[in-house]
Amino acid sequence: MRFFQMSQTDEGVRWGSVLEFGLKRWKRVLLPYTQATLAIQLGSIVVVPGILFALFYAFVGPVAVLDDAVKRPLSRSTKLTRGRRGRLFRAGLLFTPWVLWYGLVGAYESSAWGLGAVMGLGVVDEIFSLLLFLIAFQMYEERMSELRELLEARRSADGDAAEPV
């Protein structure tokens, strides 16, 4: 996330800064991300709750890492995903064939194909997970940009009303 944010600025990416940022923030992320993952995994026992939890908690990582003021990242993520859950769901649909095949067959069947297949399919699975996370992070960034614009518009409207004409 920090890499992406730094790449959007004129100063560019400094790897030392990215690493330092990650090492300072890992404790803030561990508990909420674990809570969200457990809810999603337990909800996946029955498919619909798992999908709903995945949509509600899609922004837990970015919230926990980037917003120091938030005390309850899971509830903040639930609020921020409102209005975006359809887009998040459609993004997840792109990965459904892989998730179904790998989750139901591939992970188990690949053991018969050898260690290389197990490792290779595991890498592919992690790449797809990373892509889905990056899609969710981009939607989080869009949402935060919209909120900043709304706040700025509200401040300027309040400022205009406070000044005499």
Side-chain angles (χ1 to χ4, degrees), residues 93-105:
L93 283 178
L94 294 173
F95 300 95
T96 298
W98 171 260
V99 170
L100 289 175
W101 179 81
Y102 185 73
L104 297 174
V105 177

Side-chain angles (χ1 to χ4, degrees), residues 39-58:
I40 292 165
Q41 293 299 320
L42 289 174
S44 292
I45 293 170
V46 178
V47 176
V48 173
I51 292 170
L52 291 176
F53 285 141
L55 296 174
F56 292 164
Y57 301 149

Side-chain angles (χ1 to χ4, degrees), residues 101-136:
W101 179 81
Y102 185 73
L104 297 174
V105 177
Y108 305 107
E109 196 66 32
S110 64
S111 62
W113 303 336
L115 182 61
V118 171
M119 292 174 57
L121 291 174
V123 167
V124 171
D125 189 52
E126 288 303 315
I127 289 170
F128 283 148
S129 295
L130 177 63
L131 288 173
L132 194 54
F133 177 81
L134 290 174
I135 290 168

Side-chain angles (χ1 to χ4, degrees), residues 80-101:
L80 289 174
T81 57
R82 281 190 193 122
R84 282 164 180 65
R85 293 179 191 147
R87 285 178 60 204
L88 286 163
F89 181 77
R90 288 188 299 276
L93 283 178
L94 294 173
F95 300 95
T96 298
W98 171 260
V99 170
L100 289 175
W101 179 81

Side-chain angles (χ1 to χ4, degrees), residues 3 15 31-32 40 46 52 58-61 68-69 71 83 88 91 105 108 128 160:
F3 172 86
W15 289 104
L31 181 62
I40 292 165
V46 178
L52 291 176
F59 295 168
V60 166
D68 292 332
K71 301 294 184 220
L88 286 163
V105 177
Y108 305 107
F128 283 148
D160 293 341

